[in-house]
mmCIF file of all heavy atoms in Angstrom:
data_model
loop_
_atom_site.group_PDB
_atom_site.id
_atom_site.type_symbol
_atom_site.label_atom_id
_atom_site.label_comp_id
_atom_site.label_asym_id
_atom_site.label_seq_id
_atom_site.Cartn_x
_atom_site.Cartn_y
_atom_site.Cartn_z
ATOM 1 N N SER P 1 -13.982 171.237 91.585
ATOM 2 C CA SER P 1 -12.696 171.812 91.942
ATOM 3 C C SER P 1 -12.020 171.034 93.053
ATOM 4 O O SER P 1 -10.793 170.967 93.106
ATOM 5 C CB SER P 1 -12.869 173.274 92.369
ATOM 6 O OG SER P 1 -11.635 173.837 92.760
ATOM 7 N N ARG P 2 -12.804 170.434 93.939
ATOM 8 C CA ARG P 2 -12.242 169.750 95.095
ATOM 9 C C ARG P 2 -11.543 168.451 94.722
ATOM 10 O O ARG P 2 -10.412 168.200 95.138
ATOM 11 C CB ARG P 2 -13.331 169.467 96.132
ATOM 12 C CG ARG P 2 -12.778 168.954 97.454
ATOM 13 C CD ARG P 2 -13.852 168.450 98.369
ATOM 14 N NE ARG P 2 -14.464 167.226 97.860
ATOM 15 C CZ ARG P 2 -15.146 166.368 98.591
ATOM 16 N NH1 ARG P 2 -15.311 166.606 99.896
ATOM 17 N NH2 ARG P 2 -15.680 165.293 98.050
ATOM 18 N N ASP P 3 -12.225 167.620 93.941
ATOM 19 C CA ASP P 3 -11.673 166.301 93.648
ATOM 20 C C ASP P 3 -11.662 165.953 92.167
ATOM 21 O O ASP P 3 -11.332 164.822 91.804
ATOM 22 C CB ASP P 3 -12.431 165.219 94.423
ATOM 23 C CG ASP P 3 -13.915 165.174 94.111
ATOM 24 O OD1 ASP P 3 -14.351 165.857 93.164
ATOM 25 O OD2 ASP P 3 -14.645 164.461 94.821
ATOM 26 N N GLU P 4 -12.017 166.887 91.309
ATOM 27 C CA GLU P 4 -12.032 166.726 89.854
ATOM 28 C C GLU P 4 -13.025 165.674 89.377
ATOM 29 O O GLU P 4 -12.920 165.196 88.239
ATOM 30 C CB GLU P 4 -10.637 166.410 89.331
ATOM 31 C CG GLU P 4 -9.606 167.490 89.646
ATOM 32 C CD GLU P 4 -10.003 168.853 89.099
ATOM 33 O OE1 GLU P 4 -10.408 168.929 87.921
ATOM 34 O OE2 GLU P 4 -9.907 169.846 89.851
ATOM 35 N N SER P 5 -13.970 165.326 90.231
ATOM 36 C CA SER P 5 -15.029 164.449 89.781
ATOM 37 C C SER P 5 -15.888 165.172 88.752
ATOM 38 O O SER P 5 -15.953 166.405 88.731
ATOM 39 C CB SER P 5 -15.878 163.973 90.953
ATOM 40 O OG SER P 5 -16.516 165.062 91.598
ATOM 41 N N THR P 6 -16.542 164.412 87.908
ATOM 42 C CA THR P 6 -17.357 164.979 86.839
ATOM 43 C C THR P 6 -18.743 164.368 86.855
ATOM 44 O O THR P 6 -18.977 163.315 87.457
ATOM 45 C CB THR P 6 -16.715 164.746 85.464
ATOM 46 O OG1 THR P 6 -16.584 163.334 85.234
ATOM 47 C CG2 THR P 6 -15.336 165.382 85.397
ATOM 48 N N ASP P 7 -19.652 165.031 86.186
ATOM 49 C CA ASP P 7 -21.003 164.523 86.064
ATOM 50 C C ASP P 7 -21.569 164.991 84.734
ATOM 51 O O ASP P 7 -21.133 166.006 84.175
ATOM 52 C CB ASP P 7 -21.877 164.998 87.224
ATOM 53 C CG ASP P 7 -23.094 164.110 87.450
ATOM 54 O OD1 ASP P 7 -23.200 163.051 86.797
ATOM 55 O OD2 ASP P 7 -23.934 164.475 88.288
ATOM 56 N N TYR P 8 -22.557 164.251 84.247
ATOM 57 C CA TYR P 8 -23.168 164.546 82.964
ATOM 58 C C TYR P 8 -24.665 164.312 83.030
ATOM 59 O O TYR P 8 -25.135 163.414 83.734
ATOM 60 C CB TYR P 8 -22.589 163.653 81.862
ATOM 61 C CG TYR P 8 -21.105 163.808 81.667
ATOM 62 C CD1 TYR P 8 -20.208 163.024 82.384
ATOM 63 C CD2 TYR P 8 -20.599 164.747 80.777
ATOM 64 C CE1 TYR P 8 -18.842 163.170 82.210
ATOM 65 C CE2 TYR P 8 -19.236 164.895 80.597
ATOM 66 C CZ TYR P 8 -18.367 164.111 81.320
ATOM 67 O OH TYR P 8 -17.010 164.261 81.145
ATOM 68 N N ALA P 9 -25.395 165.116 82.297
ATOM 69 C CA ALA P 9 -26.806 164.850 82.121
ATOM 70 C C ALA P 9 -26.976 163.547 81.353
ATOM 71 O O ALA P 9 -26.152 163.188 80.508
ATOM 72 C CB ALA P 9 -27.473 166.001 81.371
ATOM 73 N N ALA P 10 -28.055 162.849 81.647
ATOM 74 C CA ALA P 10 -28.282 161.569 80.990
ATOM 75 C C ALA P 10 -28.344 161.706 79.479
ATOM 76 O O ALA P 10 -27.935 160.795 78.748
ATOM 77 C CB ALA P 10 -29.576 160.943 81.519
ATOM 78 N N SER P 11 -28.831 162.837 78.998
ATOM 79 C CA SER P 11 -28.995 163.034 77.569
ATOM 80 C C SER P 11 -27.676 163.164 76.817
ATOM 81 O O SER P 11 -27.655 163.005 75.592
ATOM 82 C CB SER P 11 -29.852 164.275 77.310
ATOM 83 O OG SER P 11 -29.257 165.430 77.866
ATOM 84 N N VAL P 12 -26.584 163.455 77.522
ATOM 85 C CA VAL P 12 -25.296 163.649 76.858
ATOM 86 C C VAL P 12 -24.234 162.657 77.309
ATOM 87 O O VAL P 12 -23.147 162.612 76.715
ATOM 88 C CB VAL P 12 -24.761 165.085 77.052
ATOM 89 C CG1 VAL P 12 -25.810 166.105 76.649
ATOM 90 C CG2 VAL P 12 -24.315 165.316 78.492
ATOM 91 N N LYS P 13 -24.514 161.881 78.316
ATOM 92 C CA LYS P 13 -23.523 160.954 78.848
ATOM 93 C C LYS P 13 -23.074 159.983 77.767
ATOM 94 O O LYS P 13 -23.886 159.401 77.055
ATOM 95 C CB LYS P 13 -24.086 160.197 80.043
ATOM 96 C CG LYS P 13 -23.040 159.417 80.829
ATOM 97 C CD LYS P 13 -23.629 158.820 82.094
ATOM 98 C CE LYS P 13 -22.577 158.104 82.921
ATOM 99 N NZ LYS P 13 -21.541 159.055 83.406
ATOM 100 N N GLY P 14 -21.773 159.817 77.668
ATOM 101 C CA GLY P 14 -21.195 158.966 76.645
ATOM 102 C C GLY P 14 -20.857 159.692 75.369
ATOM 103 O O GLY P 14 -20.111 159.153 74.536
ATOM 104 N N ARG P 15 -21.388 160.902 75.195
ATOM 105 C CA ARG P 15 -21.115 161.690 73.998
ATOM 106 C C ARG P 15 -20.287 162.940 74.302
ATOM 107 O O ARG P 15 -19.512 163.379 73.453
ATOM 108 C CB ARG P 15 -22.417 162.111 73.320
ATOM 109 C CG ARG P 15 -23.284 160.937 72.892
ATOM 110 C CD ARG P 15 -24.490 161.397 72.077
ATOM 111 N NE ARG P 15 -25.388 162.243 72.863
ATOM 112 C CZ ARG P 15 -25.692 163.499 72.553
ATOM 113 N NH1 ARG P 15 -25.185 164.067 71.472
ATOM 114 N NH2 ARG P 15 -26.537 164.185 73.316
ATOM 115 N N PHE P 16 -20.468 163.511 75.490
ATOM 116 C CA PHE P 16 -19.767 164.729 75.873
ATOM 117 C C PHE P 16 -18.723 164.409 76.931
ATOM 118 O O PHE P 16 -18.913 163.514 77.764
ATOM 119 C CB PHE P 16 -20.735 165.762 76.453
ATOM 120 C CG PHE P 16 -21.711 166.354 75.476
ATOM 121 C CD1 PHE P 16 -21.850 165.858 74.188
ATOM 122 C CD2 PHE P 16 -22.496 167.426 75.868
ATOM 123 C CE1 PHE P 16 -22.756 166.412 73.304
ATOM 124 C CE2 PHE P 16 -23.405 167.993 74.988
ATOM 125 C CZ PHE P 16 -23.537 167.486 73.708
ATOM 126 N N THR P 17 -17.630 165.168 76.927
ATOM 127 C CA THR P 17 -16.579 165.010 77.917
ATOM 128 C C THR P 17 -16.127 166.380 78.394
ATOM 129 O O THR P 17 -15.785 167.240 77.582
ATOM 130 C CB THR P 17 -15.369 164.253 77.348
ATOM 131 O OG1 THR P 17 -15.785 162.971 76.866
ATOM 132 C CG2 THR P 17 -14.316 164.051 78.432
ATOM 133 N N ILE P 18 -16.118 166.581 79.703
ATOM 134 C CA ILE P 18 -15.655 167.828 80.282
ATOM 135 C C ILE P 18 -14.231 167.635 80.795
ATOM 136 O O ILE P 18 -13.880 166.556 81.281
ATOM 137 C CB ILE P 18 -16.590 168.299 81.414
ATOM 138 C CG1 ILE P 18 -16.246 169.725 81.855
ATOM 139 C CG2 ILE P 18 -16.548 167.340 82.601
ATOM 140 C CD1 ILE P 18 -17.283 170.330 82.804
ATOM 141 N N SER P 19 -13.409 168.672 80.676
ATOM 142 C CA SER P 19 -12.027 168.576 81.110
ATOM 143 C C SER P 19 -11.485 169.951 81.456
ATOM 144 O O SER P 19 -12.069 170.978 81.091
ATOM 145 C CB SER P 19 -11.148 167.922 80.035
ATOM 146 O OG SER P 19 -11.132 168.699 78.851
ATOM 147 N N ARG P 20 -10.372 169.965 82.177
ATOM 148 C CA ARG P 20 -9.675 171.199 82.525
ATOM 149 C C ARG P 20 -8.285 171.205 81.918
ATOM 150 O O ARG P 20 -7.657 170.161 81.749
ATOM 151 C CB ARG P 20 -9.510 171.337 84.036
ATOM 152 C CG ARG P 20 -10.735 171.568 84.859
ATOM 153 C CD ARG P 20 -10.315 171.775 86.315
ATOM 154 N NE ARG P 20 -11.457 171.871 87.214
ATOM 155 C CZ ARG P 20 -12.048 173.006 87.545
ATOM 156 N NH1 ARG P 20 -11.616 174.161 87.034
ATOM 157 N NH2 ARG P 20 -13.075 172.997 88.383
ATOM 158 N N ASP P 21 -7.798 172.400 81.634
ATOM 159 C CA ASP P 21 -6.402 172.619 81.321
ATOM 160 C C ASP P 21 -5.946 173.735 82.247
ATOM 161 O O ASP P 21 -6.182 174.911 81.979
ATOM 162 C CB ASP P 21 -6.197 172.997 79.857
ATOM 163 C CG ASP P 21 -4.728 173.050 79.475
ATOM 164 O OD1 ASP P 21 -3.889 173.413 80.312
ATOM 165 O OD2 ASP P 21 -4.415 172.731 78.307
ATOM 166 N N LYS P 22 -5.317 173.370 83.351
ATOM 167 C CA LYS P 22 -4.925 174.359 84.351
ATOM 168 C C LYS P 22 -3.929 175.363 83.796
ATOM 169 O O LYS P 22 -3.990 176.550 84.123
ATOM 170 C CB LYS P 22 -4.344 173.661 85.580
ATOM 171 C CG LYS P 22 -5.342 172.834 86.366
ATOM 172 C CD LYS P 22 -4.696 172.164 87.573
ATOM 173 C CE LYS P 22 -4.181 173.179 88.563
ATOM 174 N NZ LYS P 22 -3.634 172.543 89.786
ATOM 175 N N ALA P 23 -3.006 174.902 82.961
ATOM 176 C CA ALA P 23 -1.996 175.793 82.409
ATOM 177 C C ALA P 23 -2.623 176.884 81.557
ATOM 178 O O ALA P 23 -2.136 178.015 81.520
ATOM 179 C CB ALA P 23 -0.975 175.001 81.601
ATOM 180 N N LYS P 24 -3.694 176.558 80.848
ATOM 181 C CA LYS P 24 -4.375 177.522 80.000
ATOM 182 C C LYS P 24 -5.524 178.223 80.710
ATOM 183 O O LYS P 24 -6.146 179.117 80.133
ATOM 184 C CB LYS P 24 -4.903 176.838 78.741
ATOM 185 C CG LYS P 24 -3.812 176.283 77.838
ATOM 186 C CD LYS P 24 -4.402 175.639 76.596
ATOM 187 C CE LYS P 24 -3.319 175.123 75.681
ATOM 188 N NZ LYS P 24 -3.873 174.476 74.466
ATOM 189 N N ASN P 25 -5.804 177.812 81.945
ATOM 190 C CA ASN P 25 -6.920 178.367 82.705
ATOM 191 C C ASN P 25 -8.216 178.260 81.905
ATOM 192 O O ASN P 25 -8.950 179.237 81.731
ATOM 193 C CB ASN P 25 -6.656 179.822 83.099
ATOM 194 C CG ASN P 25 -7.619 180.319 84.153
ATOM 195 O OD1 ASN P 25 -8.034 179.574 85.035
ATOM 196 N ND2 ASN P 25 -7.994 181.591 84.061
ATOM 197 N N MET P 26 -8.496 177.064 81.427
ATOM 198 C CA MET P 26 -9.670 176.837 80.603
ATOM 199 C C MET P 26 -10.358 175.530 80.987
ATOM 200 O O MET P 26 -9.728 174.605 81.521
ATOM 201 C CB MET P 26 -9.300 176.789 79.115
ATOM 202 C CG MET P 26 -8.673 178.066 78.595
ATOM 203 S SD MET P 26 -8.201 177.961 76.856
ATOM 204 C CE MET P 26 -9.823 178.034 76.082
ATOM 205 N N VAL P 27 -11.628 175.482 80.721
ATOM 206 C CA VAL P 27 -12.430 174.275 80.855
ATOM 207 C C VAL P 27 -13.069 174.003 79.505
ATOM 208 O O VAL P 27 -13.563 174.923 78.850
ATOM 209 C CB VAL P 27 -13.499 174.412 81.951
ATOM 210 C CG1 VAL P 27 -14.408 173.189 81.970
ATOM 211 C CG2 VAL P 27 -12.844 174.586 83.313
ATOM 212 N N PHE P 28 -13.053 172.756 79.101
ATOM 213 C CA PHE P 28 -13.537 172.374 77.788
ATOM 214 C C PHE P 28 -14.733 171.441 77.895
ATOM 215 O O PHE P 28 -14.898 170.718 78.874
ATOM 216 C CB PHE P 28 -12.442 171.675 76.987
ATOM 217 C CG PHE P 28 -11.194 172.487 76.837
ATOM 218 C CD1 PHE P 28 -10.084 172.229 77.621
ATOM 219 C CD2 PHE P 28 -11.134 173.509 75.914
ATOM 220 C CE1 PHE P 28 -8.932 172.968 77.493
ATOM 221 C CE2 PHE P 28 -9.985 174.268 75.768
ATOM 222 C CZ PHE P 28 -8.885 174.002 76.556
ATOM 223 N N LEU P 29 -15.544 171.462 76.870
ATOM 224 C CA LEU P 29 -16.612 170.495 76.710
ATOM 225 C C LEU P 29 -16.508 169.935 75.302
ATOM 226 O O LEU P 29 -16.863 170.607 74.334
ATOM 227 C CB LEU P 29 -17.987 171.126 76.936
ATOM 228 C CG LEU P 29 -19.168 170.154 76.888
ATOM 229 C CD1 LEU P 29 -19.114 169.203 78.084
ATOM 230 C CD2 LEU P 29 -20.493 170.901 76.865
ATOM 231 N N GLN P 30 -15.987 168.731 75.206
ATOM 232 C CA GLN P 30 -15.897 168.048 73.923
ATOM 233 C C GLN P 30 -17.227 167.372 73.652
ATOM 234 O O GLN P 30 -17.671 166.537 74.439
ATOM 235 C CB GLN P 30 -14.770 167.018 73.937
ATOM 236 C CG GLN P 30 -14.623 166.227 72.650
ATOM 237 C CD GLN P 30 -14.185 167.082 71.488
ATOM 238 O OE1 GLN P 30 -13.267 167.891 71.630
ATOM 239 N NE2 GLN P 30 -14.831 166.924 70.342
ATOM 240 N N MET P 31 -17.852 167.719 72.549
ATOM 241 C CA MET P 31 -19.166 167.214 72.196
ATOM 242 C C MET P 31 -19.048 166.395 70.920
ATOM 243 O O MET P 31 -18.717 166.928 69.858
ATOM 244 C CB MET P 31 -20.166 168.356 72.007
ATOM 245 C CG MET P 31 -20.226 169.314 73.195
ATOM 246 S SD MET P 31 -21.542 170.550 73.030
ATOM 247 C CE MET P 31 -20.999 171.402 71.557
ATOM 248 N N ASN P 32 -19.312 165.106 71.029
ATOM 249 C CA ASN P 32 -19.253 164.202 69.898
ATOM 250 C C ASN P 32 -20.634 163.630 69.614
ATOM 251 O O ASN P 32 -21.520 163.658 70.465
ATOM 252 C CB ASN P 32 -18.268 163.065 70.169
ATOM 253 C CG ASN P 32 -16.853 163.540 70.363
ATOM 254 O OD1 ASN P 32 -16.416 164.508 69.746
ATOM 255 N ND2 ASN P 32 -16.110 162.847 71.222
ATOM 256 N N ASN P 33 -20.783 163.093 68.412
ATOM 257 C CA ASN P 33 -22.045 162.476 68.012
ATOM 258 C C ASN P 33 -23.230 163.395 68.273
ATOM 259 O O ASN P 33 -24.244 162.989 68.836
ATOM 260 C CB ASN P 33 -22.234 161.140 68.729
ATOM 261 C CG ASN P 33 -21.124 160.150 68.438
ATOM 262 O OD1 ASN P 33 -20.743 159.967 67.285
ATOM 263 N ND2 ASN P 33 -20.610 159.505 69.477
ATOM 264 N N LEU P 34 -23.091 164.623 67.836
ATOM 265 C CA LEU P 34 -24.111 165.624 68.113
ATOM 266 C C LEU P 34 -25.424 165.301 67.417
ATOM 267 O O LEU P 34 -25.444 164.757 66.308
ATOM 268 C CB LEU P 34 -23.621 167.001 67.692
ATOM 269 C CG LEU P 34 -22.586 167.609 68.642
ATOM 270 C CD1 LEU P 34 -21.841 168.750 67.972
ATOM 271 C CD2 LEU P 34 -23.279 168.098 69.918
ATOM 272 N N GLU P 35 -26.497 165.645 68.089
ATOM 273 C CA GLU P 35 -27.849 165.404 67.625
ATOM 274 C C GLU P 35 -28.603 166.725 67.547
ATOM 275 O O GLU P 35 -28.236 167.690 68.219
ATOM 276 C CB GLU P 35 -28.568 164.449 68.585
ATOM 277 C CG GLU P 35 -27.835 163.139 68.817
ATOM 278 C CD GLU P 35 -28.417 162.336 69.965
ATOM 279 O OE1 GLU P 35 -29.295 162.860 70.682
ATOM 280 O OE2 GLU P 35 -27.998 161.171 70.132
ATOM 281 N N PRO P 36 -29.669 166.785 66.739
ATOM 282 C CA PRO P 36 -30.447 168.026 66.686
ATOM 283 C C PRO P 36 -30.949 168.482 68.049
ATOM 284 O O PRO P 36 -31.067 169.685 68.291
ATOM 285 C CB PRO P 36 -31.613 167.658 65.754
ATOM 286 C CG PRO P 36 -31.029 166.630 64.841
ATOM 287 C CD PRO P 36 -30.109 165.823 65.714
ATOM 288 N N GLY P 37 -31.228 167.550 68.939
ATOM 289 C CA GLY P 37 -31.658 167.902 70.281
ATOM 290 C C GLY P 37 -30.607 168.613 71.107
ATOM 291 O O GLY P 37 -30.929 169.162 72.166
ATOM 292 N N ASP P 38 -29.368 168.619 70.650
ATOM 293 C CA ASP P 38 -28.309 169.341 71.342
ATOM 294 C C ASP P 38 -28.270 170.814 70.972
ATOM 295 O O ASP P 38 -27.482 171.567 71.553
ATOM 296 C CB ASP P 38 -26.949 168.716 71.024
ATOM 297 C CG ASP P 38 -26.832 167.282 71.511
ATOM 298 O OD1 ASP P 38 -27.274 166.993 72.635
ATOM 299 O OD2 ASP P 38 -26.289 166.448 70.751
ATOM 300 N N THR P 39 -29.079 171.229 70.014
ATOM 301 C CA THR P 39 -29.106 172.620 69.590
ATOM 302 C C THR P 39 -29.540 173.513 70.741
ATOM 303 O O THR P 39 -30.611 173.328 71.318
ATOM 304 C CB THR P 39 -30.040 172.806 68.398
ATOM 305 O OG1 THR P 39 -29.524 172.091 67.267
ATOM 306 C CG2 THR P 39 -30.176 174.277 68.027
ATOM 307 N N ALA P 40 -28.713 174.473 71.083
ATOM 308 C CA ALA P 40 -28.979 175.364 72.210
ATOM 309 C C ALA P 40 -27.848 176.367 72.314
ATOM 310 O O ALA P 40 -26.814 176.235 71.658
ATOM 311 C CB ALA P 40 -29.092 174.569 73.517
ATOM 312 N N VAL P 41 -28.055 177.362 73.165
ATOM 313 C CA VAL P 41 -26.967 178.222 73.594
ATOM 314 C C VAL P 41 -26.325 177.561 74.804
ATOM 315 O O VAL P 41 -27.013 177.191 75.763
ATOM 316 C CB VAL P 41 -27.451 179.637 73.950
ATOM 317 C CG1 VAL P 41 -26.296 180.482 74.473
ATOM 318 C CG2 VAL P 41 -28.073 180.302 72.730
ATOM 319 N N TYR P 42 -25.026 177.403 74.768
ATOM 320 C CA TYR P 42 -24.295 176.743 75.830
ATOM 321 C C TYR P 42 -23.565 177.768 76.683
ATOM 322 O O TYR P 42 -22.900 178.671 76.163
ATOM 323 C CB TYR P 42 -23.295 175.740 75.251
ATOM 324 C CG TYR P 42 -23.950 174.470 74.782
ATOM 325 C CD1 TYR P 42 -24.756 174.453 73.647
ATOM 326 C CD2 TYR P 42 -23.777 173.273 75.488
ATOM 327 C CE1 TYR P 42 -25.378 173.297 73.224
ATOM 328 C CE2 TYR P 42 -24.393 172.109 75.061
ATOM 329 C CZ TYR P 42 -25.193 172.127 73.933
ATOM 330 O OH TYR P 42 -25.802 170.966 73.513
ATOM 331 N N PHE P 43 -23.702 177.619 77.991
ATOM 332 C CA PHE P 43 -23.115 178.529 78.961
ATOM 333 C C PHE P 43 -22.191 177.780 79.907
ATOM 334 O O PHE P 43 -22.459 176.635 80.262
ATOM 335 C CB PHE P 43 -24.204 179.198 79.823
ATOM 336 C CG PHE P 43 -25.258 179.924 79.058
ATOM 337 C CD1 PHE P 43 -26.387 179.266 78.611
ATOM 338 C CD2 PHE P 43 -25.133 181.277 78.809
ATOM 339 C CE1 PHE P 43 -27.380 179.936 77.917
ATOM 340 C CE2 PHE P 43 -26.118 181.963 78.116
ATOM 341 C CZ PHE P 43 -27.245 181.286 77.669
#
């Protein structure tokens, strides 16, 4: 929230992208090139 810096787990870096849309009051996680190891409940 302070500087909009982002971070990613090594297992998803390069495949996932986090972003904000302030107007919609939402945060997104774009997940590409999904693998079976990504199967989980996401919070």
Side-chain angles (χ1 to χ4, degrees):
S1 178
R2 189 190 69 160
D3 59 9
E4 300 303 313
S5 62
T6 60
D7 202 7
Y8 300 90
S11 59
V12 308
K13 192 173 183 64
R15 300 187 297 120
F16 292 9
T17 302
I18 190 170
S19 62
R20 292 184 186 269
D21 188 327
K22 293 180 63 176
K24 296 181 178 179
N25 194 35
M26 299 178 73
V27 174
F28 304 102
L29 184 68
Q30 178 66 45
M31 307 186 298
N32 298 326
N33 301 313
L34 285 163
E35 305 169 352
D38 297 318
T39 295
V41 177
Y42 283 71
F43 304 88

